[in-house]
Amino acid sequence: MTSSLKAVSSKWIKTRVMLRNVKLRQHMPTTHPFNRNRLSAMLAQHGMLYVKPDIGSLGIGVIRVEKRGRTYRYQSGVNIYRFPTFEKMYQSLKHRCGTKRYLIQKGIHVLTHEGNPYDFRVMIQRSPSGKWVCTGTAARVAHPQKAVTNGSQGGTIYSPCDLLEPRFGVEATSILMFKMDKIAYLTSAQLGRTYPAMNELGIDIAVDHRLKPWILEVNTRPDPCPFTKLADKTIIRKIVQFGRANGRKYDLTCSKAKKAPKRHFSTASIEQPIEQSLPNAEPPSEPISELPSENE
């Protein structure tokens, strides 16, 4: 069954559609609906998780949860809360989540720049001729006091090569950029089978220290603001051109995200493990229910 929706709000619905593709599944952190037992089990297994609203955007409401020795903590915005027991932390989280549906996602120990985590936003859009095309990739370095990288949360936007090449070299950077584009094409093919009216996706990709890319989230009505901060203005012009061809208008007043300094560089530091690989997309095997559209 296909849908006429151009955008899907629920992260859980998008996750379920994408998990049907075995190639994409290799690049998706374990994700489940939030509940006490799942939180306890995943925290014991992974040590660090993200709890995020099922419907939400701009990094709002995303919480980083950790078990450190015998103590527990979570970070929401710039605030860090510590607890002596799991139960006390869970009750606090449950209260914070309220009646909204939340998800739990395995935490990825991502690449960092000057001690701050960063990830990537890959934009893929239908061209005026209807073909999916990767129109830009931006790196987003988190605000020093926050656990999320979104420009809307004070993140700084870099050209990916400016962060990756000094640390990993030109060849490894080119391979990683190719892999991220490949993930974007697989994702657009997979979601496009169930939602053929979709015209654009903003795919948030984290990279671990083995340079394996992980899909954190897929936005079906993405905000192009990060791309306005890149020195290469042909990227945002192409995004706007493709968006206009598909009936979208963007607000490019982007005051919260920061531009990377013209001359930067120390080396980007890194953290944890994992591995790699991916090729072709496969069709989903069964229909998925739908929710309304979003701004992301």
Side-chain angles (χ1 to χ4, degrees):
M1 185 182 81
T2 61
S3 164
S4 60
L5 288 178
K6 289 187 176 182
V8 177
S9 301
S10 170
K11 296 177 178 68
W12 182 234
I13 287 175
K14 288 177 281 192
T15 296
R16 287 171 55 203
V17 173
M18 292 167 63
L19 283 171
R20 295 200 170 108
N21 185 304
V22 67
K23 308 291 194 316
L24 286 174
R25 201 181 305 150
Q26 300 171 35
H27 296 270
M28 297 179 68
T30 305
T31 304
H32 293 285
F34 177 84
N35 63 50
R36 185 191 183 284
N37 291 341
R38 189 69 74 176
L39 180 68
S40 177
M42 288 180 66
L43 204 50
Q45 182 177 2
H46 304 298
M48 192 265 285
L49 310 170
Y50 282 86
V51 173
K52 55 176 68 174
D54 181 40
I55 297 176
S57 61
L58 307 176
I60 297 167
V62 177
I63 303 166
R64 176 174 166 139
V65 183
E66 296 175 274
K67 182 179 187 295
R68 295 192 171 188
R70 295 185 178 182
T71 63
Y72 299 84
R73 57 181 259 170
Y74 69 76
Q75 180 173 359
S76 177
V78 298
N79 299 311
I80 296 174
Y81 304 88
R82 295 175 175 84
F83 305 88
T85 66
F86 170 80
E87 192 59 39
K88 287 183 182 296
M89 183 190 71
Y90 168 70
Q91 291 301 331
S92 177
L93 273 175
K94 186 180 175 185
H95 177 74
R96 185 171 292 274
C97 293
T99 58
K100 285 186 178 179
R101 180 179 177 129
Y102 271 70
L103 303 177
I104 309 168
Q105 186 175 78
K106 172 190 171 183
I108 304 299
H109 293 274
V110 302
L111 304 181
T112 66
H113 176 65
E114 297 178 346
N116 301 312
Y118 68 90
D119 61 18
F120 302 88
R121 164 62 65 90
V122 181
M123 192 83 165
I124 186 166
Q125 298 167 281
R126 289 194 193 274
S127 70
S129 67
K131 291 184 178 180
W132 286 104
V133 176
C134 285
T135 46
T137 300
R140 311 179 303 176
V141 179
H143 181 284
Q145 294 177 296
K146 294 188 177 181
V148 295
T149 60
N150 303 68
S152 58
Q153 298 289 323
T156 302
I157 310 303
Y158 286 78
S159 164
C161 293
D162 285 350
L163 294 181
L164 294 167
E165 286 183 1
R167 179 67 179 91
F168 302 107
V170 173
E171 185 178 359
T173 297
S174 296
I175 291 169
L176 177 58
M177 297 294 289
F178 173 81
K179 287 181 180 177
M180 289 196 286
D181 280 358
K182 187 68 176 177
I183 284 174
Y185 284 112
L186 286 170
T187 301
S188 63
Q190 183 68 13
L191 286 173
R193 285 185 175 91
T194 301
Y195 303 104
M198 281 184 181
N199 292 315
E200 59 182 5
L201 301 171
I203 303 167
D204 295 340
I205 297 179
V207 176
D208 67 31
H209 94 172
R210 292 187 182 176
L211 298 188
K212 177 173 179 177
W214 294 89
I215 304 167
L216 299 180
E217 194 166 306
V218 177
N219 306 295
T220 57
R221 196 168 174 80
D223 179 2
C225 271
F227 299 95
T228 67
K229 305 299 180 181
L230 295 176
D232 182 356
K233 297 305 176 187
T234 63
I235 295 174
I236 188 61
R237 283 199 289 268
K238 189 172 188 178
I239 288 170
V240 170
Q241 176 196 348
F242 280 27
R244 187 180 295 126
N246 291 313
R248 273 218 65 192
K249 292 182 180 178
Y250 304 115
D251 178 4
L252 298 180
T253 309
C254 307
S255 57
K256 293 181 180 178
K258 299 178 178 64
K259 277 186 182 179
K262 285 188 179 177
R263 299 183 70 83
H264 46 288
F265 292 133
S266 58
T267 50
S269 60
I270 50 179
E271 288 165 30
Q272 194 108 313
I274 318 253
E275 33 189 76
Q276 50 206 66
S277 119
L278 54 85
N280 309 317
E282 296 170 4
S285 55
E286 57 183 274
I288 296 292
S289 58
E290 335 169 311
L291 290 182
S293 63
E294 61 196 324
N295 282 309
E296 298 161 308

